[in-house]
Every structure is written in structure tokens, then in C-alpha cells.
Amino acid sequence: MIKQYLSIKGNYPDAILLYRMGDFYEMFFEDAEVASKVLEITLTSRNKKEEFPVPMCGVPHKAVKAYIAKLIANGFKVAICDQKENPAEAKGLVKRDVVRVITPGMIIEDEFLDEKTNNYILSIARYSDNVGISCIDISTGLFRLTEGNDLLSLAEEIRRVAPSEILLPESSKNDRFLSGLVNGLNGIPITYLDDNNFDYKKCRERLIGLFRTFSLEGFGCEDKKAGICAAGALVFYIKETQKQSAGHFSSIETYNLDKYLLIDETSCQNLEIFKNIRTGSKHGTLLGVLDSTLTPMGGRLMRSWLRYPLQNREEILYRLDAVEELKNDVTSRRNIREQLNTVYDIERLGSKIVMGHSNARDLVALKNSLLTLPSIKYIAENLKSSFFVWDSEIGELSVLAQLIDKAIREDAPPVINEGGLIKEGFSEELDILIRAGSQGKGWLAKLEAKEKEETKINSLKVRFNKVFGYYIEVSKAQAKFVPSHYIRKQTLVNAERYITDELKQYEKDILNSQDRRNILEYELFTQIRENAAKLNPLIQQVAGFIARLDCINAFSEVAHENNYSRPDLNDEGLISIEEGRHPVVEKMITGERFVPNSIMMDDENNQILIITGPNMAGKSTVLRQVALIVLMAHIGSFVPAAKASINITDKIFTRVGALDNLSSGQSTFMVEMQETANILNNSSSRSLVIMDEIGRGTSTFDGISIAWAVAEYLHDLDGKGVKTLFATHYHELIDLALTKERVKNFNILVKEWNDEIVFLRKLVDGGTNRSYGIQVARLAGIPGKIIARAKKILYKIEDEHAISGAPLVAQSGAGSKHSQIQLDMFTKPEHFIVERLKNADITKMTPLDALNFINELQEKTNKACLD
């Protein structure tokens, strides 16, 4: 047995081998040592008395899925080694072999998957100067392919796909370009395959064989050789791990990276599109607000639409028209939601059926879903938008639903080889076997009555258990009356158990009948499953329509509930938002009303908006809500605004705060500068840039300099500039509007009252030169003594600044040699005179006071000029 185990294990060195022995899956040697720790099960050995005992652990085969899930979650591959023949009929050692390898990217079990998230495995291949990327979700049959030669866009696409596993050729270990692509993807398992499996000719043949076509022209990828190499390697990997061809992949989608609005992974995090920054959950995200889908495939498509916002105007309008119709048609919208509530995940059900991993309950779920199709089709056909045109013929699916309804029991067990699957009346042969079993219960009752009568033993009972089969039980007190033809089988404390020749023959007949019934039910079930598998292309087509309908209906429902409006699309470089709101913040704030704000951006007068104001006033909210509204318009959703006109945008970049990345030795400032460099190097005149507090990670002088230079660069880029929202505490930046014609100043309004501040959350024209930091510190709970001391220091700094024009940044002590004054590069020489005159109350000055005041100004001016 160990020889057999080692022989099989040798073919799967990178996987935990689950070796079937009776009712258990066993693991040996290193696999056992590793698995016992991960699964928290007892590590033992099979030959404890020998000098070198073999480490061993095992799990029950009926509970194996939970253990597999835990191994996969910890990044392991699992090879399932099953018995290939009946142990009762086997001569010698039972034949065994691996029937499937489960990897993080090769999962189809619902228990292991998030129902509203695709589980991708991604393959990367190089051909000439291009790099191909292909991904599949084996649980749904989704297959995609693209290629390019730009490292940044390819790396962002890999992050956008968010694969659970990556395939690479062995040679990629020495390929700087390919290695660069997967750098930073920590935690994603990488599987290296022999380069031969990425060979272009072999990969093209695999794809043509899979799709049964003469070429790949019909899929738009015949000329994409790098993409074909990546996709072909995936087809090979599926066959190697699943021990079958990828029969449920009926097509491949070829796409271009420039077709979609790009939001890099950093911006996705900053805008909290999929995960909130604090907990990583869906709650408090844009997805959490928009996703009111009712089906798993609708939820997955919603994520995809957010990952891949459209740039094509006609495609966006196509969605918007559909959303508007359902938003206005309350009856149809509610009816659709009612019907979708009864639809299961037919996309994944179809894949499981084709791969032979479905059970009777899966078929029942498919049937219940298919039975709703006529109602959904009727509603869709009565809608005007062409988005709702139903192209699929559902007649064959209705026939399949009727077949399943007639054949499969609603209460069928999860296993498919122990009977209880098929309804009575479906098969005459099966009905005979079922009746034989049920009649056997009556025969046993008659046998018990007959034996009691003949033996005069009142305590006699005829019973059954799985260990001993059928037996006759007699109490110890009456055992002396047992007839001689009874054969003792077992002795208990208070009873004796016997068998008879008649009972043994009955047991043989009844058990054979049950075995024949189980075999027949399994055969009937697999026939029905094969019928369903043949219709999988149609099932997947219907699943796609339902997913799209679900998403559009969700957009309509959310737009109705939250008072969203339809955005206009323009090609004039205009982003105009009237009374815009943050879609997430407005749903989460308590105790105050969300204050909407309007924004006007264009490429002629209002291209860069410098926004000043104190912390907590709402600058970041305004910035993020503009980015989210632009994104929502590009996915075909209505937006949280009274009115909006959005320019077709190619990229959204954000730089809105950073944390130290200590694990890679990167400080806040380094992360900030890397993100800023990415924006500067990849923005275009059609992009939207969000910059929040750039330069905070270094000294004031350096920070102002960098912020100023970055704003200038974005204004002057390619002679056209980039639409930018620039929030800052560096009030000196408002002077940019004096030298750059497309820069405009705005601030978040604050009301002062008795040295307190009230945040009005309103964006208004003009800059501000106050940060209200001390007032905000008081609101945050800083002790009063510190607040009072801070005020004194502030007054001194402002006084020094008013005279010298230079703010006191740090002072270690009175008279200290290390006192530092950092000059303000943007303050004009006459600034301090203006400030002193502003603060002077001439109504209270005597003529002598006025003369002294002018003399003081003159002396300090002369001193400042000499310095």
C-alpha cells in the first residue's frame, strides 16, 4: 500500500495527497505532518513499533470538503486519490488514482466560493514583444484573453482580475519583464509549468479543439499569439487537474485594455469601491450601496461592471436607457425582483453539471430556476429598451425542467450513489425494486409474529443494524427457549442475538435489491444530468441575460430609493455636477444632514480646482464624491446629484493619503511620491486626478515646493492639462491662480463663533488662509491646557510672521542655537506690512500712537530688507 501511495504521490509533489482507504482519506509522511497542523487533527503512525514509524493522519470521507476548504484557504493544492474499483470485488490491493486536483484557482464547490465573486486563475505568457494574459473562472465557464506590451497597464490588469492563482512558464523565473508583472502580488499562489505547455502551436490547437472551430477568427484573437499561449496553457492545466476537458467553456472573450476606464488598484482602495479601508468588508463601499442584485450571477456581473467601466458612449447610453425605463416603471421593476428572488446560481450549476460534480439537489435548484424563465421573459418582452430583448429560446429548457420535476425528488440526499434520488412513477423497473424494499418491512413483521407464535417467546424481536444486518433478539431470561436452528450471533448484557437460514436468505435478497435500486437510481440520475449538460450553452446564455437584467434592475432600484438622476455624457471635457452627494457617506452619516456640493470643471477656465479648508470640513468627501460620480456614470448608473454632465474619461487617479509600508521599508512620503509619480507619468487630458494633501510627509518647505510643482505640471501637461481636484493645507498654493489661467480657488465654508467653529460643509469660491487646526484639536478632545498653550505659540508665530514674513516652524527653546525659521518662498516682501495694517485699529490711535506705529513699521521694514 505504501508503495502504491508513494508512486501516486510522486506525480503530485506540490499537492497534499488525500489517499482513500475505506471510509477515510489518509495522509502520510510530510503531507501528514503539514496537514495535521493546518487541520488541527491528531498525527499518528501506522507502524508505531518499528524503528522509523510512518507519520499518518486522516479525515472521514463524508466530511472531507470542510478539510479541503481549510487546506485551500491556507494556500495548498489538494490531490484527491480515490479507489477505482469495489474493495469487495478487488483481488489484492485496491486500484487507486488521482481523480482531481483542487487548487485555489480550480474550485467549483459552492462551499469554497463567495457566491458574488468570480474565482479566477490567470495565465501569463510572452510571445515576441507582447505579453498575453488570460483568465478563467472554472465555476462559471468565463474565459477571457488580452495582450499588450506596457508593463504598467498589464500589471494593473492583473490586479484588476484579482486572481486566486497564477500560471507562469518556468522560464519566467529568469524573465525580468514577467517577474516585474507579478511583483507585489503577495499571497497569490504561483504555479510554474514547463515552457512546452505555453508553445504557441500547441496552445492554438488546444483552443481550436476545445471550441471545435477551424480558427480563432470568430473570437477576435487569431492574431493575438501571446494571448493564445496564455489561454492554451490554461486549457492544459484544466485537463491535468480536473482529469477532463474544459467542456463547459464554449467561447473566449477577447478584449482590449484601452476599452475601459482605468482605475488603478490604489485608487480603488482610496475610493473604497470594493472594500472599506478599516475592515476590508463590503459595508461602507460603493459596491455595498449599488449592489442590490438578487442573484449570484448578477452580483458577480455588478463587480465586473465596476472593475471595467465603459468608455464607449453608445454602450453607456444603452445601459442608461434601460435603467431609466425600469426606474420609471415601478410595477415591472418590482415584478422582476420578485421573480429573480427564486432564481439560483444557474451559471455555476451549469458548470457543475457539465463537469459531473452536481448532485440531485443541484438539478432541483436548476429546475426551480428554469420554471421562472417564462415569467421573466414575459416581463422583459413588454419593456421598450432593446437591452431587454430576449434572444434565447427557452422551449428546450422548459422540457428539461419538466423532466427534472418528474424524475428527481425534492428531498434527495446530497450523495448520489445511495439511492433516494428518483421519484416513484418515473421508472417501472425502479418502482418494482422500491416496492420490494417496502414489502420487506411487512414480511419482517409477519416473520416476527410467526416466530413468537412458534417459540412462545414474547420478548422476541426481529431487527436490523448496519453492523450485523438482520437478526432475532431474545431476552436473557427467555434464551433457554430458543429453538436449535437459531444460530447465536452476538451476546449482550440483557439479550442474545441470533440469525436463521431463512433470515440470511432474506437479507441477501433485500440487500441485493437495495444495491440494484441504488445502481439504477444512479444510472437514471446521470442520464438526466447528461441531458442537462447538453443544454449548458443555452443555460449559460440565459444566465448571462438574467445577470444583466439583475444589474440594471438593481441600478434602477438604488436610483429610485436614493433619488439619483440620469447623467448626461459629453465629449467637451466638461464635468458639471449640481448638488452632488457622496453615495456612501450620505447613507452612513447620523445626526446631521448631508450637504450637497456643486462642481464645474472644464479644459478652458476651471481645469484645476485648489480646495482649501480645515480638517474635518469635508474636503476629502467632495474630492471622492466627484470621482465616484464620474465612475458611476461610466458603468451606466444614475448618480447622486440633482444634475450631472460627465465627460468620457479614460483614467481616474487618486492620491488621498498613505500609511507607512514598514514591511518593504517605505515611509509615508515614499509611498506618497510613488503614487504621485504614477499619476504624473500616466495621466492624459481625458483623465481625472484627485490629489489630497500632497507633500505632508516631508518638511513644510519641501512639501509646498512639491505640491506647487505638481500642480503646475498637471496644468501644463502636453499643453492641454489634466482636470484635477487639489485639496491642500498649503494656503500658499492659492497664488497659483495668479499665474495659471485654468486654476481656480475654492474653500470649504466654516463659521466661527466665540473661538469655536461650525463646519458648514459647503464648497464656495475663493481660497482661505486659515486651517483652524487648534479648534479642530479641541473638537478631537485635546486637553484644554495644551489648547491654551498652542494658542500662545500660534499668536507668537503669527506675530513673527507678520514682521519677518517667515513662519517659525520649530523652536527648541528660548534663545536656543537650534531655533529654526523656515522662509516662505511664496510670501511677497510687503506681506507683513499689509497684515499689520489689517490688524491695526486706527479709531483708537492718538496722533502720537499713529506716528509710533509708522516708525515701527519703517524700522522693521529696513531691518527685514537688510537681512
Side-chain angles (χ1 to χ4, degrees):
M1 185 273 295
I2 289 294
K3 286 182 179 179
Q4 184 190 64
Y5 169 85
L6 292 173
S7 175
I8 296 171
K9 172 65 182 175
N11 296 323
Y12 302 92
D14 60 344
I16 301 289
L17 183 67
L18 296 183
Y19 182 84
R20 180 71 179 270
M21 294 180 67
D23 289 336
F24 281 79
Y25 281 105
E26 303 289 359
M27 289 155 278
F28 300 98
F29 300 103
E30 290 183 6
D31 282 2
E33 293 174 343
V34 171
S36 63
K37 293 178 182 177
V38 174
L39 301 177
E40 298 178 315
I41 57 178
T42 302
L43 179 68
T44 182
S45 61
R46 195 164 180 83
N47 51 340
K48 297 179 181 178
K49 295 182 179 180
E50 295 184 12
E51 183 179 358
F52 301 105
V54 176
M56 170 186 173
C57 65
V59 297
H61 81 95
K62 287 188 176 181
V64 72
K65 285 187 176 181
Y67 293 104
I68 292 174
K70 198 167 185 178
L71 289 170
I72 295 297
N74 281 274
F76 294 98
K77 298 178 181 179
V78 178
I80 309 296
C81 180
D82 271 340
Q83 297 168 166
K84 303 293 286 185
E85 57 183 342
N86 189 334
E89 300 173 358
K91 295 180 179 180
L93 188 64
V94 177
K95 291 180 182 178
R96 295 178 176 87
D97 203 356
V98 170
V99 296
R100 183 182 171 207
V101 179
I102 304 176
T103 74
M106 292 281 109
I107 301 174
I108 60 172
E109 288 80 4
D110 296 336
E111 305 95 306
F112 304 170
L113 298 170
D114 178 348
E115 67 173 8
K116 287 195 170 186
T117 304
N118 283 103
N119 186 58
Y120 290 114
I121 179 170
L122 181 138
S123 174
I124 307 173
R126 191 168 189 171
Y127 190 96
S128 187
D129 294 330
N130 285 332
V131 171
I133 292 177
S134 181
C135 64
I136 62 169
D137 181 346
I138 194 172
S139 72
T140 65
L142 185 61
F143 200 171
R144 306 185 79 213
L145 171 157
T146 190
E147 68 175 29
N149 52 27
D150 178 67
L151 179 63
L152 179 72
S153 61
L154 290 168
E156 282 300 335
E157 177 59 13
I158 294 171
R159 293 187 181 94
R160 184 154 58 175
V161 171
S164 298
E165 184 179 359
I166 295 176
L167 291 187
L168 284 172
E170 279 285 348
S171 60
S172 66
K173 295 176 180 178
N174 300 315
D175 187 319
R176 288 187 177 181
F177 193 90
L178 292 185
S179 296
L181 280 179
V182 295
N183 268 350
L185 301 177
N186 297 328
I188 300 179
I190 297 177
T191 298
Y192 293 95
L193 300 179
D194 190 282
D195 284 26
N196 186 51
N197 298 313
F198 291 84
D199 178 75
Y200 167 70
K201 289 184 178 180
K202 291 182 179 179
C203 289
R204 184 175 179 275
E205 287 174 4
R206 288 187 198 122
L207 293 174
I208 289 173
L210 176 64
F211 301 131
R212 299 177 183 176
T213 56
F214 291 106
S215 75
L216 299 174
E217 289 285 353
F219 305 109
C221 59
E222 182 65 54
D223 61 333
K224 299 191 182 299
K225 294 185 176 181
I228 289 171
C229 292
L234 283 173
V235 175
F236 166 81
Y237 193 62
I238 291 173
K239 190 170 184 179
E240 284 294 298
T241 57
Q242 305 308 299
K243 307 303 177 182
Q244 58 179 289
S245 63
H248 60 301
F249 291 96
S250 56
S251 67
I252 187 167
E253 176 193 350
T254 304
Y255 66 103
N256 294 318
L257 296 177
D258 57 3
K259 178 183 177 181
Y260 304 103
L261 184 158
L262 174 65
I263 305 178
D264 63 16
E265 189 63 25
T266 298
S267 297
C268 280
Q269 293 172 5
N270 290 336
L271 296 175
E272 296 182 295
I273 296 174
F274 301 102
K275 298 179 180 179
N276 73 58
I277 293 174
R278 288 191 175 185
T279 66
S281 72
K282 178 181 169 182
H283 179 69
T285 66
L286 181 62
L287 177 64
V289 171
L290 294 180
D291 186 13
S292 65
T293 56
L294 297 168
T295 67
M297 49 267 193
R300 291 192 292 271
L301 185 63
M302 177 72 73
R303 278 183 174 271
S304 179
W305 282 6
L306 278 168
R307 283 283 184 191
Y308 295 92
L310 300 169
Q311 286 197 70
N312 184 289
R313 179 189 179 91
E314 297 306 315
E315 291 183 50
I316 298 172
L317 291 175
Y318 187 52
R319 290 183 190 174
L320 287 172
D321 289 343
V323 173
E324 183 171 37
E325 181 174 2
L326 278 183
K327 180 176 182 287
N328 296 332
D329 188 344
V330 178
T331 302
S332 294
R333 188 172 76 244
R334 296 294 161 82
N335 287 341
I336 288 172
R337 291 186 70 80
E338 184 179 342
Q339 295 300 321
L340 291 178
N341 251 326
T342 64
V343 177
Y344 291 83
D345 194 347
I346 59 176
E347 191 174 41
R348 280 182 172 163
L349 286 172
S351 297
K352 287 174 71 176
I353 287 168
V354 172
M355 298 185 71
H357 294 298
S358 60
N359 59 23
R361 294 180 182 181
D362 293 325
L363 290 185
V364 171
L366 177 64
K367 174 203 72 176
N368 292 333
S369 301
L370 297 181
L371 290 175
T372 66
L373 296 186
S375 298
I376 296 174
K377 183 177 182 182
Y378 175 79
I379 299 171
E381 288 177 339
N382 284 281
L383 296 169
K384 296 177 182 179
S385 171
S386 58
F387 190 96
F388 304 113
V389 173
W390 188 293
D391 295 325
S392 307
E393 288 296 330
I394 61 173
E396 290 182 281
L397 295 179
S398 296
V399 172
L400 174 62
Q402 292 168 13
L403 172 63
I404 297 172
D405 186 53
K406 184 179 179 182
I408 305 297
R409 292 174 53 165
E410 295 280 344
D411 61 347
V415 293
I416 59 176
N417 55 4
E418 296 181 4
L421 308 176
I422 307 298
K423 289 180 178 178
E424 291 188 40
F426 181 73
S427 165
E428 184 177 351
E429 182 183 357
L430 178 61
D431 289 347
I432 293 172
L433 293 172
I434 292 173
R435 282 195 296 272
S438 61
Q439 289 170 359
K441 294 178 181 178
W443 184 88
L444 288 173
K446 290 178 182 178
L447 176 66
E448 183 176 303
K450 186 186 77 158
E451 293 295 325
K452 280 184 177 181
E453 177 67 25
E454 291 180 355
T455 63
K456 307 301 181 183
I457 301 174
N458 294 329
S459 65
L460 184 146
K461 298 174 183 177
V462 179
R463 292 289 184 263
F464 171 84
N465 67 36
K466 291 184 178 181
V467 178
F468 295 108
Y470 291 95
Y471 57 87
I472 298 171
E473 184 173 291
V474 177
S475 67
K476 273 284 180 67
Q478 294 187 303
K480 57 187 175 182
F481 302 117
V482 167
S484 59
H485 67 277
Y486 277 30
I487 304 169
R488 182 182 281 112
K489 186 72 173 177
Q490 186 183 20
T491 298
L492 303 178
V493 175
N494 297 315
E496 296 285 352
R497 289 176 177 175
Y498 305 88
I499 59 171
T500 66
D501 290 338
E502 183 181 13
L503 194 56
K504 285 176 65 178
Q505 184 58 45
Y506 170 79
E507 179 178 280
K508 183 177 179 181
D509 292 342
I510 199 68
L511 292 180
N512 285 341
S513 172
Q514 184 63 47
D515 287 343
R516 292 201 306 274
R517 173 186 171 178
N518 294 348
I519 291 170
L520 180 57
E521 286 202 56
Y522 177 77
E523 290 175 352
L524 293 171
F525 169 77
T526 54
Q527 289 172 11
I528 297 168
R529 186 168 66 182
E530 287 169 5
N531 287 338
K534 292 175 184 176
L535 294 177
N536 186 58
L538 185 55
I539 292 172
Q540 297 299 335
Q541 189 178 350
V542 168
F545 177 83
I546 289 177
R548 294 190 296 274
L549 178 65
D550 197 6
C551 283
I552 292 296
N553 198 64
F555 281 167
S556 304
E557 186 74 10
V558 171
H560 171 77
E561 289 179 354
N562 300 321
N563 193 29
Y564 290 176
S565 65
R566 174 172 176 154
D568 294 326
L569 303 175
N570 70 80
D571 294 313
E572 289 78 47
L574 179 67
I575 295 179
S576 173
I577 301 171
E578 295 182 16
E579 300 296 298
R581 312 179 319 265
H582 192 295
V584 181
V585 175
E586 73 167 346
K587 301 280 285 185
M588 299 186 70
I589 60 171
T590 56
E592 63 176 297
R593 181 181 67 88
F594 186 92
V595 179
N597 277 295
S598 299
I599 284 283
M600 168 69 78
M601 303 182 76
D602 56 40
D603 295 330
E604 297 176 358
N605 300 305
N606 299 275
Q607 191 174 60
I608 295 183
L609 308 187
I610 304 293
I611 301 175
T612 48
N615 284 320
M616 295 174 61
K619 299 192 301 297
S620 296
T621 298
V622 171
L623 266 60
R624 287 176 168 89
Q625 77 186 38
V626 171
L628 291 176
I629 287 172
V630 171
L631 167 60
M632 290 171 69
H634 280 76
I635 64 174
S637 168
F638 279 28
V639 299
K643 187 178 180 182
S645 181
I646 306 298
N647 178 61
I648 300 297
T649 305
D650 65 349
K651 303 181 187 78
I652 295 176
F653 290 110
T654 65
R655 156 91 282 287
V656 294
L659 298 173
D660 287 351
N661 189 348
L662 299 178
S663 61
S664 58
Q666 293 180 332
S667 67
T668 300
F669 184 64
M670 175 58 76
V671 172
E672 184 179 334
M673 290 300 99
Q674 287 177 338
E675 293 178 4
T676 302
N678 177 47
I679 294 171
L680 300 179
N681 291 327
N682 295 285
S683 297
S684 76
S685 59
R686 293 177 54 226
S687 302
L688 172 64
V689 173
I690 304 298
M691 306 289 281
D692 193 357
E693 306 296 354
I694 184 176
R696 286 189 305 175
T698 186
S699 68
T700 305
F701 183 81
D702 288 345
I704 294 173
S705 303
I706 292 170
W708 186 286
V710 167
E712 279 188 334
Y713 181 88
L714 291 170
H715 180 278
D716 300 338
L717 184 65
D718 295 333
K720 298 179 180 179
V722 183
K723 282 184 284 296
T724 305
L725 290 166
F726 206 118
T728 183
H729 279 294
Y730 296 138
H731 304 129
E732 291 81 359
L733 263 63
I734 64 177
D735 287 348
L736 265 170
L738 301 176
T739 58
K740 297 296 180 181
E741 59 184 355
R742 296 189 301 279
V743 174
K744 292 293 181 289
N745 291 316
F746 289 84
N747 73 92
I748 303 293
L749 204 57
V750 173
K751 183 176 181 62
E752 291 186 77
W753 181 260
N754 290 334
D755 202 31
E756 300 285 343
I757 57 171
V758 178
F759 299 118
L760 301 182
R761 315 290 188 196
K762 202 68 181 174
L763 186 69
V764 295
D765 287 334
T768 181
N769 61 359
R770 293 198 61 187
S771 293
Y772 300 97
I774 292 177
Q775 290 88 339
V776 172
R778 179 189 289 113
L779 291 176
I782 297 297
K785 289 183 179 180
I786 297 176
I787 296 296
R789 175 60 179 155
K791 282 183 181 179
K792 291 182 180 179
I793 296 172
L794 177 63
Y795 294 152
K796 182 176 181 181
I797 291 173
E798 288 178 340
D799 186 58
E800 291 288 337
H801 180 63
I803 300 305
S804 68
L808 185 65
V809 174
Q811 185 167 325
S812 58
S816 168
K817 294 181 181 180
H818 300 291
S819 299
Q820 293 181 1
I821 292 180
Q822 182 170 286
L823 296 178
D824 184 343
M825 65 181 290
F826 303 109
T827 301
K828 298 177 174 61
E830 65 272 24
H831 178 74
F832 71 88
I833 298 177
V834 174
E835 289 296 315
R836 289 284 283 164
L837 287 172
K838 278 184 180 180
N839 295 324
D841 188 354
I842 60 174
T843 61
K844 296 181 179 179
M845 285 186 180
T846 64
L848 182 61
D849 290 335
L851 288 172
N852 289 333
F853 178 76
I854 294 171
N855 184 61
E856 178 189 357
L857 290 180
Q858 188 177 48
E859 287 179 359
K860 291 189 176 181
T861 301
N862 292 334
K863 184 176 183 299
C865 291
L866 290 173
D867 291 343

